[in-house]
Amino acid sequence: MTVQVRELEQLLGTLVEVQRSEARDYSSFSVRGKRFGYFWPRTRTVGLKQTVSEQLALVSERPDVFEVQFTAGGFGWVVVYLDGIDADELAELLYEAWRLSAPEELVAEVPFTRIARA
């Protein structure tokens, strides 16, 4: 179970209105100005916005794959190790992160089935 960077890029490409910003050590992803994810190439990790309950469930079930990043604004961000997850599970988590930040009309435009088939 390993997700390649190109697979992450493909999954991001299935979402609508994703803006990517590059920093020295990481990339960040937003939709209409609301951040929903980060990617650190050096550590092959992705930080994703989730609900607090989902953050806690992921970390408690598989601490070798997930860790708490931080909690802010009622959301629990989780670090995902790409070497411990498959593309289908990452697609689900990535969609959820995007959905938590996207306006309702965009979410209606991009149902999960669209990203799941990518």
Side-chain angles (χ1 to χ4, degrees), residues 23-45:
R24 191 183 86 205
D25 297 324
Y26 64 91
S27 302
S28 61
F29 309 103
S30 303
V31 57
R32 293 205 183 160
K34 292 186 178 183
R35 186 85 21 98
F36 68 89
Y38 299 89
F39 172 57
W40 295 273
R42 185 180 60 77
T43 58
R44 291 188 34 78
T45 56

Side-chain angles (χ1 to χ4, degrees), residues 1 8 10 25 27 31 36 41 44 47 56 61 69 77-78 82 94 97 103 106-107:
M1 269 198 307
L8 171 63
Q10 287 172 339
D25 297 324
S27 302
V31 57
F36 68 89
R44 291 188 34 78
L56 296 174
E61 289 171 13
Q69 185 176 15
W77 289 72
V78 63
L82 294 179
L94 187 62
L106 287 184
V107 174

Side-chain angles (χ1 to χ4, degrees), residues 9-118:
E9 298 289 344
Q10 287 172 339
L11 292 171
L12 283 166
T14 64
L15 299 171
V16 176
E17 293 191 33
V18 173
Q19 298 95 33
R20 184 178 187 145
S21 298
E22 300 295 333
R24 191 183 86 205
D25 297 324
Y26 64 91
S27 302
S28 61
F29 309 103
S30 303
V31 57
R32 293 205 183 160
K34 292 186 178 183
R35 186 85 21 98
F36 68 89
Y38 299 89
F39 172 57
W40 295 273
R42 185 180 60 77
T43 58
R44 291 188 34 78
T45 56
V46 178
L48 295 174
K49 186 181 206 177
Q50 299 292 302
T51 64
V52 172
S53 60
E54 183 68 9
Q55 175 202 51
L56 296 174
L58 290 167
V59 172
S60 67
E61 289 171 13
R62 293 177 27 221
D64 56 321
V65 178
F66 304 104
E67 67 183 56
V68 171
Q69 185 176 15
F70 61 89
T71 302
F75 296 101
W77 289 72
V78 63
V79 173
V80 181
Y81 288 86
L82 294 179
D83 292 333
I85 193 169
D86 65 32
D88 289 340
E89 186 176 17
L90 181 62
E92 185 178 333
L93 295 172
L94 187 62
Y95 179 82
E96 182 65 12
W98 177 85
R99 187 190 68 76
L100 290 170
S101 296
E104 287 181 24
E105 68 270 12
L106 287 184
V107 174
E109 199 176 306
V110 183
F112 177 69
T113 53
R114 177 172 156 189
I115 188 171
R117 286 182 295 188

